[in-house]
Amino acid sequence: EIVLTQSPGTLSLSPGERATLSCRASQSVSSTYLAWYQQKPGQAPRLLIYGASSRATGIPDRFSGSGSGTDFTLTISRLEPEDFAVYYCQQFGTSPPGYTFGQGTKLEIK
Amino acid sequence: QVQLQESGPGLVESSGTLPLTCAVSGDSISSRNWWSWVRQSPGKGLEWIGEIDLSGGPTYNPSLRGRVTISVDKSRNQLSLSLTSLTAADTAVYYCARNGPFSLENWGQGALVTVSS
């Protein structure tokens, strides 16, 4: 089973700054199978990025995803106040089949 | 815009069975082939429970296999989850989701389930 490790655990930044979140897989993951989510307190996760780099419907272009193999990155170019939340990466596996998530990165206001 | 709404008992007894339903509105459940359940324990991360392929059948997380059943009722436009032999470790917020391309595109607001001893 592939394990996803996100870093850092907590990232403290100010609005307007650039955020770079990392997701490392224990084995190579097809880019097609890598996604990112945002979750705010008391809310369900929201899909941001699928296929490692494709933005989901309605997601602002300040969010971008990149990476391949075992290393993937979510970048938020200029932080807005509403971007402070917890972010999860997710991979779809075929053996065993199903979805697994990283432990999350909390993006907090500095 | 599709909307998903989970419902079920907020409190269930240890060793009992949890029944949850997910009502789909704004679109037909047949609009996508795959639908999933995910849970999140208090203060913890996300755990995928399983999914159902409307053209095939269900696939479950191996860690829950034997205790979980996912089904769909196309006539009612709803998804169902049953989880048996409950313990305190099953206390969580349970979400239903519509699958996208190897991702979970649309989510319900979640239903908090507490397992009491």
Side-chain angles (χ1 to χ4, degrees), chain A residues 46-48 50 55-63, chain B residues 1 105:
Chain A
R46 177 175 69 147
L47 177 65
L48 298 175
Y50 65 93
R55 274 187 300 276
T57 302
I59 301 303
D61 61 7
R62 64 180 182 274
F63 291 91
Chain B
Q1 174 76 354
E105 184 172 352

Side-chain angles (χ1 to χ4, degrees), chain B residues 37-111:
Chain B
W37 286 94
V38 177
R39 68 181 182 179
Q40 186 170 35
S41 301
K44 299 288 183 62
L46 298 160
E47 179 182 29
W48 177 77
I49 297 170
E51 68 182 3
I52 188 162
D53 174 358
L54 300 192
S55 302
T59 302
Y60 302 124
N61 187 324
S63 70
L64 296 170
R65 194 171 292 153
R67 295 203 296 135
V68 61
T69 302
I70 295 174
S71 61
V72 65
D73 187 333
K74 294 181 183 179
S75 67
R76 293 187 175 186
N77 224 40
Q78 70 181 30
L79 185 67
S80 295
L81 169 72
S82 176
L83 186 63
T84 63
S85 303
L86 296 170
T87 69
D90 295 310
T91 294
V93 176
Y94 286 75
Y95 297 100
C96 58
R98 185 172 76 167
N99 293 28
F102 304 106
S103 57
L104 302 170
E105 184 172 352
N106 305 100
W107 297 63
Q109 66 183 31

